[in-house]
């Protein structure tokens, strides 16, 4: 089986969608500084700065984030239209020890899956996974969903508000290899088919909380902390309460934890997410 | 040589002075929840929430931080007065890999130095240092300077906005051993004299910055990141620019780096601080 696609003429690399995730902020600035040096793809380099849903009515007093999301939808989309850019790569950081993850809303977007496999081969020293949020394109609200194809590159661990050289460098190489792949693809290279492991998000788990105050009463257990993508078995330690007690995973199915102790998810009531792993066959690929 | 002090009747343990440094926030809540369980010291447990200088005029429109600092100075001080509490321990976290540090404005406050030595002996698995900021009591502006004796306990690495069990637990044990020491001291225990290594802050180093935008142009070098308190020699790697170049330490004196890549210090123009190490003799100690 082989699949052909039109060329990817317009690719957007975006940083700063979450303004305190600094690797992407500084990487996009660096790419902007170097723009023109041998770029063979029409690459849009975007300082994005916060991006909620672009739909719904907007007023004069709308918050900055709402206004900016409209601007970005106009610049990179409109979402779902033929004018939308061909590919969006949105750069993120996490405090979780997740290595480099491609996060997408599809488990059969062959462009995204081939790019993932290329990065895996080019960067064998970096732990790398493909995460699939099983949400329809209409329901998806992230910046990368505005393009015809799109994904987030999520790299950690890095505290928000901090840039760490090793994380920045991994992101830089990831973006370079992604753009290389697009150039190869556009120049007619045929990519072999094969298999990719996909982690499909199943559910989130919240912290234990005080019934009245809703304050959290436990932290991620030290035996789980920094063990993203290590299979969590029923009865494995999950949390350690602030008085020292161990709370265990009561699910019946072994699942793969990720986004363990992500800073931005405390307010979303997510202590960690759990995924099922599947092997997906991707077809041989070329341009039309 | 031996030194005698009056009993430490009133001890304050404070968390939340920086509200996103979560170990102290949750530890003080936990201690408040358990208050009364065998506490033999009059321990004030304070949710503090941000503490700038308590001096200068204050208006009706003063920011919350200014108002709160006045309240705390009234509650725990007034600074410099006989009414001030005997000992303040203010709990902090850092994104730097500093282990557990006691930070004080004096290198001859025998109470603080004896507590430090007690913690070192009781927690041999935790890297522990005593940092001395050589600033007079008048110039000092932190919460712990309001007490007759005082120090900050600074523990890392922990991203701000996140609580990690291992860091929380180290802080919890540190505070328990500190309160134990106070109880021993108040009940007449004589503590032997001895030596303590003290790291006295010498200077700060800022990130390389763009002349016009003042944006940073480099991150901490990967060979320096997480190497707090490892001696930095002239010509050792200091920064890695966002284009990949290595910048080296141009100082003439080998010094000890700390607060390497602390999140809150980007805006203070501090990439790291440097200290000189000295050995201080502390006298044998008892109560009056």
């Amino acid at each position: 089986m082989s699949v052909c696609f039109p060329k990817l003429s317009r690719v957007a690399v975006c940083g700063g969608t979450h303004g305190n995730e600094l690797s992407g902020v500084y990487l996009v600035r660096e790419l902007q500084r170097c723009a023109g040096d041998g770029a063979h793809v029409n690459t849009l380099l975007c300082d994005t700065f916060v991006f909620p849903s672009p739909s719904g009515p907007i007023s004069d007093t709308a918050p900055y984030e709402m206004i900016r999301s409209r601007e970005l939808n106009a610049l990179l989309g409109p979402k779902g239209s033929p004018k939308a850019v061909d590919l969006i790569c949105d750069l993120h950081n996490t405090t979780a020890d997740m290595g480099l993850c491609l996060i997408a809303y599809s488990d059969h977007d062959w462009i995204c899956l081939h790019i993932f496999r290329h990065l895996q081969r080019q960067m064998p020293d970096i732990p790398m996974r493909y995460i699939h949020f099983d949400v329809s394109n209409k329901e998806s609200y992230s910046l990368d969903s505005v393009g015809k194809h799109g994904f987030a590159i999520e790299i950690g661990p890095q505290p928000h508000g901090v840039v760490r050289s090793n994380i920045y460098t991994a992101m830089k190489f990831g973006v370079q290899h992604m753009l290389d792949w697009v150039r190869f693809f556009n120049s007619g290279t045929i990519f072999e088919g094969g298999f990719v492991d996909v982690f499909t998000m199943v559910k989130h788990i919240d912290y234990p909380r005080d019934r009245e105050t809703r304050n959290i009463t436990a932290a991620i257990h030290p035996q789980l902390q920094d063990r993203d993508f290590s299979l969590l078995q029923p009865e494995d330690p999950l949390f350690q309460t602030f008085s020292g007690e161990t709370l265990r995973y009561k699910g019946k199915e072994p699942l793969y934890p990720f986004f363990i102790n992500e800073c931005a998810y405390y307010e979303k009531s997510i202590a960690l997410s759990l995924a099922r792993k599947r092997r997906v066959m991707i077809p041989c690929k070329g341009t039309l």
Side-chain angles (χ1 to χ4, degrees), chain A:
Chain A
M1 182 169 87
S2 92
V3 178
C4 290
F5 279 93
K7 282 188 182 178
L8 301 166
S9 308
R10 293 167 67 229
V11 175
V13 177
C14 304
T17 298
H18 299 150
N20 60 353
E21 300 176 12
L22 294 189
S23 295
V25 172
Y26 291 116
L27 179 55
V28 166
R29 275 189 199 152
E30 177 64 16
L31 295 172
Q32 284 170 332
R33 204 179 62 81
C34 304
D37 302 7
H40 298 298
V41 185
N42 183 357
T43 311
L44 293 162
L45 301 165
C46 293
D47 275 326
T48 48
F49 299 122
V50 191
F51 193 80
S53 168
S55 64
I58 193 161
S59 73
D60 287 349
T61 56
Y64 167 76
E65 291 81 353
M66 191 66 86
I67 295 165
R68 186 72 183 126
S69 72
R70 289 297 170 102
E71 291 171 357
L72 289 167
N73 192 42
L75 178 68
L76 304 176
K79 179 170 169 172
S81 82
K83 285 176 68 185
V85 298
D86 297 306
L87 176 63
I88 294 180
C89 169
D90 195 29
L91 303 174
H92 289 263
N93 290 117
T94 173
T95 56
D97 193 1
M98 282 168 59
L100 189 158
C101 293
L102 256 68
I103 306 183
Y105 290 102
S106 168
D107 61 352
H108 55 274
D109 184 321
W110 312 134
I111 298 277
C112 298
L113 287 159
H114 269 283
I115 288 173
F116 174 71
R117 216 161 60 119
H118 180 70
L119 263 59
Q120 261 192 327
R121 287 181 177 176
Q122 296 299 316
M123 301 168 69
D125 297 337
I126 305 285
M128 208 174 293
R129 283 94 176 190
Y130 189 99
I131 299 174
H132 163 222
F133 277 83
D134 194 7
V135 168
S136 75
N137 193 256
K138 271 194 179 171
E139 289 170 281
S140 64
Y141 52 84
S142 68
L143 178 59
D144 46 89
S145 71
V146 170
K148 293 197 183 75
H149 307 272
F151 53 82
I153 289 186
E154 182 83 60
I155 312 191
Q158 181 178 275
H160 299 332
V162 157
V163 55
R164 289 176 64 95
S165 255
N166 61 332
I167 301 293
Y168 169 87
T169 302
M171 185 177 274
K172 187 177 177 178
F173 287 148
V175 168
Q176 282 170 349
H177 290 304
M178 186 268 292
L179 293 175
D180 284 347
W181 185 90
V182 172
R183 282 182 209 111
F184 295 146
F185 175 74
N186 284 348
S187 62
T189 307
I190 305 292
F191 297 95
E192 280 180 18
F195 292 93
V196 165
D197 285 331
V198 169
F199 291 88
T200 299
M201 201 281 285
V202 175
K203 62 179 173 182
H204 306 300
I205 295 184
D206 189 17
Y207 292 94
R209 291 179 187 269
D210 183 89
R211 280 191 189 179
E212 286 177 22
T213 63
R214 303 306 297 153
N215 289 330
I216 67 171
T217 56
I220 293 292
H221 196 280
Q223 286 177 42
L224 178 61
Q225 179 69 52
D226 305 330
R227 301 295 295 275
D228 299 71
F229 300 103
S230 296
L231 195 61
L232 184 72
Q233 302 279 359
E235 297 301 324
D236 278 354
L238 200 57
F239 298 106
Q240 191 170 60
T241 69
F242 293 133
S243 54
E245 196 188 343
T246 293
L247 306 179
R248 293 174 184 279
Y249 172 52
K250 293 299 175 191
K252 286 176 182 166
E253 179 186 1
L255 290 168
Y256 293 89
F258 65 104
F259 276 130
I260 298 174
N261 208 351
E262 158 54 34
C263 177
Y265 290 173
Y266 279 65
E267 64 178 34
K268 292 187 177 185
S269 301
I270 300 173
L272 66 154
S273 300
L274 293 172
R276 213 170 274 133
K277 185 161 83 169
R278 284 176 313 127
R279 184 150 285 190
V280 170
M281 208 280 286
I282 58 173
C284 168
K285 170 183 289 312
T287 42
L288 281 177

